[in-house]
Amino acid sequence: QSPRKKLADEYMCVSPSVSRRLPLVYHPHYSCSWPPKHRFPMSKFADLHAFLLTQPSVLATASWHQPELPPHAWVEAVHEREYYRAFLGSRLGDAEARRIGFREQLSRPELIRRTRLEVGGTVLTAKLALRHGLACNLAGGTHHAHAGAGSGFTILNDLAVAAAYVRKHEGVSRVAVVDLDVHQGDGTATLFEGDGSVFTLSMHCGANFPFRKARSDLDIDVPSGTADAGYLRLLRETLPTMLRRFRPELVLYDAGVDVWEGDGLGHLKLSHAGIWSRDRYVIETCVRSGVPIACVIGGGYDRDPLALARRHALLHRA
């Protein structure tokens, strides 16, 4: 049996009655109409979906799942009710809108809907991962959102909502958030500070946003300019030890591609091969440790939409 076939079998250690296809989560409203010159690449979710549909290997192995809008109680288990309801009612102030980075777009019903669907998608991805061992969202990774404020192009923290959901509704006692976006997952870290049931690991470029860092359970400050070899060495020194010591029952993996060497908002030097190796290593390590893993795409910035879609697709192809 080839190593690739063996790994595929390991991914789906489930009863024969359960589908052995890789669950992928997507909603056509993940993307909405958007100012063409805005720094945030809103079309990337639809672009990623369209690109994956051209890949025979993905089509042959994927099962597609569509999320619904999450109940308000799921979100309010993490976010302050006043902030969340102000967002839903288009009542956030100018200062809050500037901190998020969406300004006049923030009150649009399409943005409110896609933000909620993204949260629902990551919750669904977590549920599917618990059932199948592995699942991937085509969005998610909004790790800068705090309990009562958004920040850095993020409004609601999908990773935190999913972690809270599986602990309350799926009988999960320990969740690890493995955040490999180039930016620290400061919102997630703050939301779970002092909570022993959620371990937050953030491996990020310390010289990058946010410039006032939060305290994760484990922060790995990657020096600016780090390339494939140095980055993967740090990851291999960190991930297995965390899994062995914390023993999570679910990993939420933020696979941001803003670590790429040409990303406009990153300061690292990973190649496409390095990003693929990173994602493959995280997935293999979790699967072989018997830990279900739910993946989200995280950050990535490029003026070329097809190039960005192909870069995010490295996760799903891995």
Side-chain angles (χ1 to χ4, degrees), residues 68-264:
E68 298 179 350
L69 290 171
H72 299 314
W74 296 4
V75 180
E76 291 176 354
V78 167
H79 288 283
E80 295 173 5
R81 178 183 174 88
E82 182 178 359
Y83 165 70
Y84 175 58
R85 297 290 173 154
F87 165 62
L88 294 182
S90 302
R91 298 192 307 272
L92 291 178
D94 291 343
E96 294 165 307
R98 282 195 299 273
R99 182 177 178 183
I100 291 168
F102 292 157
R103 301 202 179 189
E104 67 275 3
Q105 305 301 319
L106 198 56
S107 62
R108 294 175 54 210
E110 303 97 315
L111 178 65
I112 295 170
R113 178 176 59 184
R114 65 93 31 214
T115 301
R116 295 182 62 204
L117 284 169
E118 186 172 42
V119 170
T122 298
V123 172
L124 177 56
T125 304
K127 293 169 65 177
L128 289 165
L130 290 171
R131 185 181 183 196
H132 297 277
L134 170 67
C136 296
N137 198 358
L138 272 66
T142 50
H143 58 175
H144 296 309
H146 296 257
S151 178
F153 300 151
T154 70
I155 302 168
L156 303 176
N157 194 312
D158 65 311
L159 296 164
V161 173
Y165 176 89
V166 297
R167 288 183 299 158
K168 182 174 181 179
H169 298 284
E170 298 289 336
V172 173
S173 299
R174 295 180 304 280
V175 179
V177 179
V178 176
D179 192 334
L180 301 189
D181 191 279
V182 80
H183 307 104
Q184 189 203 37
D186 57 327
T188 315
T190 301
L191 283 163
F192 293 116
E193 188 173 7
D195 185 338
S197 65
V198 178
F199 190 96
T200 52
L201 187 165
S202 182
M203 183 167 154
H204 53 267
C205 179
N208 211 326
F209 178 89
F211 301 108
R212 180 178 296 177
K213 299 293 190 289
R215 179 180 296 177
S216 308
D217 291 300
L218 179 59
D219 285 302
I220 307 296
D221 185 341
V222 183
S224 297
T226 298
D228 294 353
Y231 185 95
L232 292 170
R233 182 175 63 251
L234 285 172
L235 181 59
R236 293 187 183 109
E237 291 171 353
T238 302
L239 183 61
T241 301
M242 185 278 289
L243 294 176
R244 185 173 63 252
R245 292 179 177 176
F246 182 65
R247 295 178 295 112
E249 296 168 9
L250 174 69
V251 164
L252 300 173
Y253 173 42
D254 185 339
V257 297
D258 40 13
V259 295
W260 178 59
E261 58 192 345
D263 191 276

Side-chain angles (χ1 to χ4, degrees), residues 24 26 31 41-55 58 64 137-139 255-258 260 263 272 275-276 278-279 296-318:
L24 298 180
Y26 175 71
S31 293
M42 180 60 76
S43 72
K44 73 177 185 177
F45 313 106
D47 295 336
L48 171 59
H49 178 248
F51 176 74
L52 290 175
L53 291 180
T54 70
Q55 303 302 297
V58 173
W64 292 95
N137 198 358
L138 272 66
V257 297
D258 40 13
W260 178 59
D263 191 276
H272 287 149
I275 294 172
W276 188 91
R278 176 200 69 173
D279 294 343
V296 299
I297 70 170
Y301 304 89
D302 197 313
R303 293 298 186 185
D304 183 336
L306 178 58
L308 182 56
R310 292 170 65 93
R311 197 167 303 127
H312 277 300
L314 291 168
L315 168 66
H316 306 86
R317 296 169 71 182

Side-chain angles (χ1 to χ4, degrees), residues 9-44:
D9 290 344
E10 289 174 354
Y11 282 164
M12 302 304 175
C13 294
V14 294
S15 67
S17 62
V18 177
S19 168
R20 292 177 179 269
R21 291 180 173 271
L22 171 64
L24 298 180
V25 176
Y26 175 71
H27 197 287
H29 292 149
Y30 275 175
S31 293
C32 62
S33 60
W34 201 245
K37 294 184 178 180
H38 198 286
R39 192 64 182 270
F40 183 78
M42 180 60 76
S43 72
K44 73 177 185 177

